[in-house]
Amino acid sequence: MQRLTLVRYTTKPDQTAENERLARAVFAELRAKAPDHVAYALFRNGDEFVHLFVNAEADDSSAVTDLPSFKAYAKDITARSEAPPEPMRLSFRLLESYGLTRTMAPA
């Protein structure tokens, strides 16, 4: 099974820029480490954020959550948010994809 995680939350208006800065640092570290079995995306609409994470090899998120930049981002996320983030963690088998990295293709 693969891990699929979707997290949605709204930041306090005065914390939105800092939240985006911290979240983007995770992507910088991911690009430097380049794990080939994960896909991670960040979406924003005003003060609302959505994160999408896919691990094509295992039901595990440590490729992202163990990064120092992610730990820095997650440290005060509740304080930056209007309400605690709402994570949805699912274990599924990927059947089809379009636009994800090649490693996301069904085995």
Side-chain angles (χ1 to χ4, degrees):
M1 290 299 198
Q2 290 106 6
R3 166 67 64 95
L4 172 66
T5 304
L6 181 73
V7 181
R8 181 179 179 182
Y9 59 96
T10 301
T11 57
K12 295 173 183 170
D14 64 332
Q15 295 294 309
T16 300
E18 176 66 2
N19 189 75
E20 182 174 329
R21 183 189 71 75
L22 290 165
R24 286 180 179 267
V26 176
F27 287 88
E29 190 170 2
L30 277 171
R31 286 184 187 98
K33 293 191 179 272
D36 62 3
H37 61 283
V38 301
Y40 190 42
L42 174 66
F43 302 89
R44 177 180 169 197
N45 182 13
D47 296 332
E48 186 174 6
F49 289 83
V50 174
H51 298 246
L52 174 64
F53 170 79
V54 178
N55 182 331
E57 289 185 354
D59 184 11
D60 177 42
S61 62
S62 64
V64 170
T65 59
D66 285 352
L67 296 173
S69 59
F70 185 86
K71 290 177 182 182
Y73 155 79
K75 180 181 175 198
D76 295 319
I77 186 63
T78 302
R80 292 192 308 273
S81 301
E82 293 286 350
E86 304 169 19
M88 181 188 327
R89 293 177 186 91
L90 306 167
S91 295
F92 278 91
R93 184 174 57 89
L94 180 65
L95 298 178
E96 296 275 348
S97 71
Y98 179 84
L100 294 175
T101 63
R102 288 184 188 190
T103 61
M104 299 292 110

